[in-house]
């Protein structure tokens, strides 16, 4: 039944794509999760992941063509540079360095690049282009489609035993056919990102979607309060279910949601900067953190494997840092070379800042962090300036996902994976779209007018009503 509903939702997305091309974003964001559950019904797809990537790429190309035919207002100059500049510079630096260092000769490194390349093209470049060309309401509708697909994928993973490779709850795995051969492997974190997106969209986007269908709902106080608590309960339940599938991703997702919530308020960043380190140190030194972890292991046995994984990765990180520190001045600047950990140690360190520093040096790490940090700040400004509406809800979701990607980069993934750059680019485009209305109105007011009707100009906010036209009688009177 869930499979049929999933097919129906995907079909509905394809139908709506012809009038709203940004709907294809729902397929791009969920294509990896959809492939993980397709192993039971479409084994040929899981045996060749590039088939699904190619199918999604064709749909994205059609969506880009439809978007170009529709035509949209041009973004302010410099928007592409803000969104893509750092990412393109980083990948150009990374791949050029890899070619000079002959890293592509290593089979494991080449395989990693081939697996990541579709996401660089589809998520970082194509998907963000569609986001930039869409209206806030269209984007919110696309995220609601993403929510439906994510919910069905998680539901199938939890209820269908045929997609599991583990026999009991403590060894829950999804079946996965590896790229190299036809053997079945395990991928315990395959649906972590799908589940996190489901939680974030439920919290930030779905209330606006519900209100758009039922505009009078906020007027009924008890109903609005009931739905608010139901939403929070659903987010908590989703966190518990995804914690059963993955490891620490739901905890990091909740932390990212809290950070986003605080940063939407004045002084929220300063409060977090002071409170988070203090609370963390207090929890560690008091033993509360270890006690809480032990309690979680009793409830979720899969977390018991964390200690072993942490010890292995810690040894790997220590060895990398020792070799990096003893490499001389040129190594400090440019690192040991892309793919060094894979080629020499057989595994990347699952800590992207450490991997970036040791393999690309201070130069590579500087290039990598400039864009995401600046665009996180742009997202914060966007949340401050748009207090409600679709712009605020979309920005809250993408800000949460960028924060989550930054947090999760400390425990998994390789530096070439584009997740952080993707969410960062989306925020840059959303911020640029919020700056699209004409600012020339402010330039005409060189001196404050004494006329009451001209002195009381409403402050323009992102997501609010745009500035008045210059040819209106009011502006003609103000300029005169």
């Amino acid at each position: 039944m869930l499979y049929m509903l999933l097919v129906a939702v995907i079909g509905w997305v394809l139908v709506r794509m012809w009038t709203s091309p940004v709907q294809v974003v729902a397929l791009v964001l969920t294509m990896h999760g959809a492939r993980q559950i397709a192993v039971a019904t479409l084994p040929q797809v899981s045996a060749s992941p590039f088939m699904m990537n190619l199918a999604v790429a064709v749909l994205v190309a059609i969506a880009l063509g439809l978007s170009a035919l529709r035509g949209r207002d041009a973004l302010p100059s410099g928007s592409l540079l803000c969104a893509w500049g750092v990412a393109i510079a980083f990948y150009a630096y990374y791949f050029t360095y890899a070619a000079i260092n002959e890293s592509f000769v290593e089979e494991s490194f080449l395989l990693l690049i081939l697996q990541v390349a579709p996401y660089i093209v589809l998520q970082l470049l194509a998907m963000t282009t569609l986001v930039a060309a869409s209206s806030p309401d269209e984007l919110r509708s696309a995220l609601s489609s993403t929510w439906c697909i994510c919910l069905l994928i998680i539901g199938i993973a939890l209820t269908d035993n045929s997609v599991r490779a583990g026999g009991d709850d403590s060894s829950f795995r999804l079946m996965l056919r590896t790229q190299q051969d036809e053997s079945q492997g395990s991928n315990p974190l395959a649906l972590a990102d799908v589940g996190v997106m489901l939680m974030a969209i439920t919290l930030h986007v779905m209330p606006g979607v519900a209100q758009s269908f039922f505009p009078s709902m906020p007027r009924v106080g008890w109903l609005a309060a009931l739905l608010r608590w139901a939403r929070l309960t659903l987010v908590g339940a989703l966190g518990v279910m995804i914690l059963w599938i993955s490891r620490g991703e739901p905890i990091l997702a909740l932390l990212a949601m809290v950070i986003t919530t605080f940063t939407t308020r004045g002084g929220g960043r300063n409060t977090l900067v002071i409170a988070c380190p203090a609370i963390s140190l207090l929890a560690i030194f008091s033993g509360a953190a270890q006690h809480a972890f032990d309690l979680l292991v009793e409830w979720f046995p899969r977390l018991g494997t964390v200690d072993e994984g942490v010890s292995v990765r810690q040894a790997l990180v220590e060895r990398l840092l020792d070799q990096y520190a003893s490499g001389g001045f040129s190594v400090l600047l440019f690192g040991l070379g892309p793919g060094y950990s894979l080629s020499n140690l057989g595994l990347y360190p699952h800590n992207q800042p450490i991997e970036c520093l040791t393999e690309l040096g201070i130069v590579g790490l500087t290039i990598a962090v400039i864009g995401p940090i600046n665009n996180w700040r742009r997202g914060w400004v966007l949340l401050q300036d748009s207090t409600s509406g679709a712009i605020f809800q979309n920005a809250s979701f993408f800000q949460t996902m960028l924060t989550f990607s930054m947090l999760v980069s400390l425990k998994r993934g390789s530096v070439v994976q584009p997740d952080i750059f993707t969410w960062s680019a989306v925020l840059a485009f959303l911020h640029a779209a919020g700056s699209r209305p004409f600012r020339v109105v402010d330039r005409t007011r060189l001196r404050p007018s004494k006329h009451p009707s001209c002195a009381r100009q409403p402050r323009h906010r992102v997501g609010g009503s745009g500035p008045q036209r210059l040819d209106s009688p009011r502006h003609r009177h103000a300029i005169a």
Side-chain angles (χ1 to χ4, degrees):
M1 181 63 181
L2 292 179
Y3 284 103
M4 295 178 60
L5 289 176
L6 180 60
V7 172
V9 171
I10 293 176
W12 177 241
V13 168
L14 295 178
V15 171
R16 297 185 64 190
M17 188 184 77
W18 297 97
T19 56
S20 178
V22 76
Q23 284 287 328
V24 81
V25 167
L27 304 180
V28 175
L29 291 179
T30 58
M31 62 181 183
H32 184 55
R35 186 177 73 83
Q36 298 306 320
I37 62 168
V39 64
T41 55
L42 299 172
Q44 65 275 15
V45 173
S46 59
S48 179
F50 287 110
M51 290 179 58
M52 179 169 288
N53 294 339
L54 181 61
V56 175
V58 171
L59 295 174
V60 169
I62 295 174
L64 288 172
L66 294 172
S67 179
L69 291 175
R70 288 199 320 166
R72 303 292 296 181
D73 295 336
L75 291 171
S77 60
S79 300
L80 293 179
L81 181 62
C82 291
W84 291 340
V86 172
I88 292 175
F90 173 79
Y91 283 117
Y93 174 75
Y94 187 89
F95 292 135
T96 301
Y97 195 178
I100 295 174
N101 206 37
E102 298 183 349
S103 301
F104 292 104
V105 178
E106 177 64 32
E107 183 180 357
S108 58
F109 178 80
L110 180 60
L111 178 62
L112 173 65
I113 300 303
L114 291 176
Q115 290 175 340
V116 169
Y119 299 96
I120 296 177
V121 175
L122 294 177
Q123 290 185 357
L124 176 59
L125 300 178
M127 188 193 82
T128 55
T129 301
L130 290 169
V131 170
S134 63
S135 68
D137 289 333
E138 288 176 329
L139 180 56
R140 185 174 64 181
S141 177
L143 292 179
S144 67
S145 300
T146 306
W147 183 85
C148 293
I149 296 177
C150 289
L151 184 63
L152 291 171
I153 289 175
I154 295 297
I156 291 172
L158 292 172
T159 59
D160 189 356
N161 294 330
S162 64
V163 301
R164 300 183 192 174
D168 56 4
D169 294 346
S170 63
S171 60
F172 182 93
R173 297 289 193 277
L174 292 180
M175 290 192 297
L176 173 69
R177 294 188 183 276
T178 59
Q179 190 76 23
Q180 297 94 329
D181 51 40
E182 297 297 322
S183 61
Q184 290 183 359
S186 62
N187 187 7
L189 303 179
L191 299 184
D193 290 339
V194 172
V196 168
M197 283 192 295
L198 181 61
M199 294 169 62
I201 296 175
T202 301
L203 181 67
H204 297 303
V205 179
M206 294 311 293
V209 175
Q211 186 174 346
S212 65
F213 281 102
F214 306 100
S216 60
M217 182 177 61
R219 301 177 184 176
V220 185
W222 65 269
L223 179 60
L226 179 63
L227 292 177
R228 189 182 306 113
W229 283 107
R231 176 189 58 172
L232 296 177
T233 303
L234 179 59
V235 170
L238 290 172
V240 172
M241 289 187 294
I242 298 163
L243 192 62
W244 182 58
I245 295 175
S246 63
R247 290 177 183 152
E249 274 68 14
I251 298 174
L252 297 178
L254 291 174
L255 180 58
M257 293 176 189
V258 171
I259 292 174
T260 300
T261 301
F262 271 89
T263 52
T264 58
R265 304 171 183 175
R269 290 187 302 176
N270 297 331
T271 303
L272 285 174
V273 169
I274 297 174
C276 286
I279 294 174
S280 301
L281 291 175
L282 180 62
I284 293 173
F285 288 112
S286 65
Q290 184 63 40
H291 178 71
F293 179 76
D294 294 338
L295 184 61
L296 284 174
V297 170
E298 294 181 4
W299 293 344
F300 306 98
R302 278 190 41 75
L303 292 177
T305 61
V306 171
D307 288 337
E308 180 181 355
V310 168
S311 61
V312 172
R313 295 174 186 178
Q314 184 177 358
L316 182 64
V317 167
E318 291 176 354
R319 186 173 176 183
L320 275 175
L321 290 176
D322 288 341
Q323 296 181 8
Y324 170 72
S326 60
F329 182 72
S330 61
V331 172
L332 291 176
L333 284 181
F334 303 105
L336 299 166
Y340 178 87
S341 57
L342 275 176
S343 302
N344 294 272
L345 305 178
L347 184 69
Y348 51 84
H350 290 75
N351 185 306
Q352 295 183 30
I354 296 296
E355 180 185 359
C356 192
L357 176 64
T358 56
E359 295 189 357
L360 303 179
I362 297 174
V363 174
L365 182 62
T366 302
I367 296 175
V369 302
I370 289 177
I373 291 177
N374 286 337
N375 290 334
W376 192 92
R377 294 178 60 186
R378 289 188 177 96
W380 178 81
V381 172
L382 186 62
L383 291 173
Q384 290 288 320
D385 288 346
S386 54
T387 56
S388 62
I391 292 180
F392 177 81
Q393 294 153 11
N394 298 337
S396 297
F397 167 73
F398 289 112
Q399 185 83 348
T400 296
M401 293 307 301
L402 176 57
T403 306
F404 167 76
S405 296
M406 290 178 174
L407 293 174
V408 83
S409 69
L410 301 176
K411 68 175 287 290
R412 76 173 201 200
S414 175
V415 71
V416 293
Q417 293 176 336
D419 292 346
I420 293 178
F421 288 130
T422 297
W423 305 122
S424 170
V426 171
L427 283 173
F429 278 128
L430 293 182
H431 182 268
S435 304
R436 183 184 292 162
F438 299 105
R439 300 292 185 180
V440 69
V441 176
D442 295 331
R443 298 192 188 103
T444 60
R445 298 184 300 175
L446 299 179
R447 295 186 180 89
S449 174
K450 295 182 179 180
H451 194 283
S453 63
C454 298
R456 292 191 297 269
Q457 290 284 351
R459 180 177 180 267
H460 173 66
R461 302 179 68 87
V462 177
S465 59
Q468 295 178 349
R469 296 174 53 191
L470 291 176
D471 58 350
S472 64
R474 184 174 184 177
H475 280 285
R476 286 200 301 266
H477 175 71
I479 296 174

